[in-house]
Amino acid sequence: MNRLVALWLVCAALPAAAQDARKSGFAFMGPDTQAMQTDDLANPGMLFVLEGDALWKAPVGASQKSCASCHGDAPQTMKGVAARYPDFDEATQAPIDLAGRIIQCRAERQGAAPPQREGHELLALTSYVAHQSRDLAIAPAQDARLASARAQGAALYSTRMGQLNFSCAQCHDDNAGGHLGAAPIPQAHPTGYPLYRLEWQALGSLQRRFRNCLSGMRAEPISAGSADAIALELFLMDRATGMKLETPAVRP
Amino acid sequence: MWRAFALLAVLMSVDAQAQTLVPYQIENGAIATSLTGQPGDPAKGRTIVVERQKGLCLLCHSGPFPEERFQGDLAPSLAGTGSRLSEGEIRLRMVDSTKVNEKTIMPPYYKMDGLGRVAASYKAKTLLEPQEIEDVIAFLVSLKDEAQK
């Protein structure tokens, strides 16, 4: 009898679970790559996180302030930040991504040379900050001023581009789970950035991933930090609301 | 120096040639006549189909290519294409498959207008040259369904 009740409870709970068909790219990987991500000692992205930890505490620039001088202990103060970004930047009155915020802090508040997009220093700091949100649910910033950029990202996602004339949605919504040659097509949820991609043999940003896809489509790339790139990130993070962050993820 | 000029001249003439498409007519869901007026070479067509950076076909399609690993599964198998479609129907699907199905993921192999955000190095170029398209068509026409023979 108790078993029947238990079975009924499981069945009653199923439709709720079945409604969310979203899967992280993690679910599309082989067990070896999954194990590499989940074991911090094997995850190559953790080397960047460790480096980010050192950078966080090191005084830089004219101010000789470190990130920690203002923000204190990252595991507490940065918890949930990456789950919220991109956010609205009051200074520029425009959306800003996490990497952009770090560049801004470095240049304007610490008086240091602004780190380069996709450069080692910025990737290490971004992955360190994002790592503080690992296992937290993505919870996009609720700021009405982000709505138009989010809509712009949604439009970009379903616009055909390049000589091959694909849209993001045609592969990652309509054909997710299929194979492009050998490669499984994931659902394009940005749950683990910056992440270590085995194909790159490096840590890279979501915006680097955009470049990869677009060059495959023979389309003009979206440059890192551009309004288009941040709009697309806003849309994708919104689409992944509630999914857990994995930074630093590992992908094939 | 002169060599560089010569190379530039060649590149420019190639570019100029690529900017105009051979006119074609779509009738009854097909383009009946060869884009070049010449028949295609099925052996060359097969080579283009299996070359991943050239034809790109096997990224989405599978087919009777036992030597090729990792064929895609996003589109129907190419096996039996010649039994399912006429030569003209295949030609239209190669030239611009959106004319058959607006939502298709099949890239247009002979189209330049109406494409957005094309990378600079691919602008004003079609995915394949007209004769290459004819070669692929000749090969696909030869893929007959074994069961129907």
Side-chain angles (χ1 to χ4, degrees), chain A residues 9 19 39 79 81 83 110-111 139 145 155 170 178 184 187 193 218 241:
Chain A
L9 279 174
Q19 274 171 12
D39 178 359
K79 194 173 178 178
V81 169
Q110 292 173 284
R145 293 171 295 180
Q170 282 185 305
Q187 297 175 354
Y193 286 93
R218 302 184 179 176
T241 297

Coordinates of all heavy atoms in Angstrom, one line a residue, chain A residues 9 19 39 79 81 83 110-111 139 145 155 170 178 184 187 193 218 241:
Chain A
L9 N 2.8 9.3 -5.9 CA 3.5 10.5 -5.6 C 4.5 10.8 -6.7 O 4.6 11.9 -7.2 CB 4.2 10.5 -4.3 CG 3.3 10.8 -3.1 CD1 4.1 10.5 -1.8 CD2 2.8 12.2 -3.1
Q19 N 8.0 19.0 -17.8 CA 7.8 20.3 -18.5 C 9.1 21.0 -18.8 O 9.1 21.7 -19.8 CB 6.9 21.2 -17.6 CG 5.4 21.0 -17.7 CD 4.6 21.7 -16.7 OE1 5.2 22.5 -16.0 NE2 3.4 21.4 -16.6
D39 N 35.4 16.8 -11.2 CA 36.5 16.6 -10.3 C 37.4 17.9 -10.4 O 38.0 18.1 -11.4 CB 37.3 15.4 -10.7 CG 38.5 15.2 -9.8 OD1 38.7 16.0 -8.9 OD2 39.2 14.2 -10.0
K79 N 28.9 36.0 -4.5 CA 28.0 34.8 -4.7 C 26.7 35.4 -5.3 O 26.1 36.3 -4.8 CB 27.7 34.3 -3.3 CG 27.0 33.0 -3.3 CD 26.9 32.4 -1.9 CE 26.1 31.1 -1.9 NZ 26.0 30.4 -0.6
V81 N 26.4 36.8 -8.2 CA 26.6 37.9 -9.2 C 26.5 37.4 -10.6 O 25.8 37.9 -11.5 CB 27.9 38.7 -8.9 CG1 28.2 39.6 -10.1 CG2 27.8 39.4 -7.6
A83 N 25.2 34.8 -11.7 CA 23.8 34.3 -12.0 C 22.9 35.4 -12.5 O 21.8 35.1 -13.0 CB 23.3 33.6 -10.8
Q110 N 40.3 51.0 -10.2 CA 41.7 50.6 -9.7 C 42.8 51.4 -10.4 O 43.9 51.3 -10.0 CB 41.9 49.1 -9.9 CG 40.9 48.3 -9.0 CD 41.0 46.8 -9.3 OE1 40.4 46.3 -10.2 NE2 41.7 46.1 -8.5
G111 N 42.4 52.1 -11.5 CA 43.4 52.9 -12.2 C 44.5 52.0 -12.9 O 45.7 52.4 -13.0
A139 N 19.5 33.6 -12.4 CA 18.4 34.5 -12.0 C 18.6 35.9 -12.6 O 19.2 36.8 -11.9 CB 18.3 34.6 -10.4
R145 N 15.0 48.2 -17.9 CA 15.8 48.9 -19.0 C 16.6 47.8 -19.8 O 17.3 48.2 -20.8 CB 16.8 49.9 -18.3 CG 16.1 51.1 -17.7 CD 17.0 51.9 -16.8 NE 17.5 51.2 -15.7 CZ 18.3 51.7 -14.8 NH1 18.8 52.9 -14.9 NH2 18.7 51.0 -13.7
A155 N 15.7 38.3 -31.2 CA 15.6 38.5 -32.6 C 16.8 38.0 -33.3 O 16.7 37.3 -34.3 CB 15.3 40.0 -32.9
Q170 N 17.6 27.4 -35.4 CA 17.4 26.3 -36.2 C 18.2 25.1 -35.7 O 17.8 23.9 -35.9 CB 17.7 26.6 -37.7 CG 16.6 27.4 -38.4 CD 17.0 27.6 -39.8 OE1 18.0 28.2 -40.1 NE2 16.1 27.2 -40.7
G178 N 20.5 16.4 -32.2 CA 21.0 15.8 -33.4 C 22.5 15.9 -33.5 O 23.2 16.4 -32.6
P184 N 27.5 16.4 -31.3 CA 26.1 16.6 -30.8 C 25.8 18.0 -30.7 O 26.6 18.8 -30.3 CB 26.1 15.9 -29.5 CG 27.5 15.4 -29.2 CD 28.4 15.9 -30.3
Q187 N 21.7 22.5 -26.5 CA 20.6 23.5 -26.5 C 21.0 24.9 -26.3 O 20.2 25.8 -26.2 CB 19.6 23.1 -25.4 CG 18.9 21.7 -25.6 CD 18.0 21.4 -24.5 OE1 17.9 22.1 -23.4 NE2 17.3 20.2 -24.6
Y193 N 30.1 29.3 -18.4 CA 31.1 30.2 -18.9 C 31.7 31.1 -17.8 O 31.0 31.4 -16.8 CB 30.6 31.1 -20.0 CG 30.4 30.4 -21.3 CD1 29.2 29.8 -21.6 CD2 31.5 30.2 -22.2 CE1 29.0 29.0 -22.8 CE2 31.3 29.4 -23.3 CZ 30.1 28.9 -23.6 OH 29.9 28.1 -24.8
R218 N 29.8 30.9 -41.7 CA 30.3 31.8 -42.7 C 29.6 33.2 -42.6 O 29.3 33.8 -43.6 CB 30.3 31.2 -44.1 CG 31.0 29.9 -44.2 CD 31.0 29.4 -45.6 NE 31.8 28.1 -45.6 CZ 31.9 27.3 -46.7 NH1 31.4 27.7 -47.9 NH2 32.6 26.2 -46.7
T241 N 17.0 30.7 -17.3 CA 16.6 31.0 -16.0 C 16.3 29.8 -15.2 O 15.6 28.9 -15.6 CB 15.3 31.9 -16.0 OG1 15.7 33.1 -16.6 CG2 14.9 32.2 -14.5

